[in-house]
Amino acid sequence: VKEGTLKKWFKALGKETGRKGKRLFMPLRIALTGRMQGPDVPSLLEILSKEDGEVADREMIKTLNQRMEMLQAWAADMKYV
């Protein structure tokens, strides 16, 4: 990923969705990691863009269903549903 590409993408995504900050990044974090806490999303995406496909700890991997359940729970708590 070229420098500045992610920043432009996040800015465009925020403008399109009308979200910024936590409302923009929390759903992305859950979708990417299956967790509600962790590294900031731009840093995470930069790391993932350099990843060669090897996963160090397979127990950390969350299924898509688990991620969606976490996202739905977070959205309900934040009154987005």
Side-chain angles (χ1 to χ4, degrees):
V1 177
K2 293 181 182 178
E3 189 174 333
T5 301
L6 289 175
K7 188 174 183 177
K8 289 177 187 176
W9 185 79
F10 286 123
K11 188 172 184 175
L13 181 62
K15 191 172 187 177
E16 183 177 322
T17 62
R19 293 181 177 199
K20 60 183 178 179
K22 188 176 187 176
R23 292 187 67 220
L24 176 64
F25 291 110
M26 184 61 74
L28 292 172
R29 177 179 287 116
I30 293 171
L32 291 168
T33 68
R35 305 180 103 189
M36 293 179 70
Q37 297 176 334
D40 66 283
V41 174
S43 296
L44 180 64
L45 285 175
E46 189 171 327
I47 291 167
L48 289 174
S49 72
K50 297 176 183 176
E51 177 61 47
D52 66 2
E54 282 297 313
V55 177
D57 187 355
R58 296 216 177 261
E59 290 183 27
M60 298 287 295
I61 297 172
K62 303 285 186 201
T63 67
L64 182 56
N65 285 339
Q66 290 170 319
R67 293 173 191 211
M68 291 305 297
E69 288 171 5
M70 292 179 74
L71 183 55
Q72 289 169 343
W74 175 80
D77 286 346
M78 299 302 287
K79 311 264 189 285
Y80 293 135
V81 182

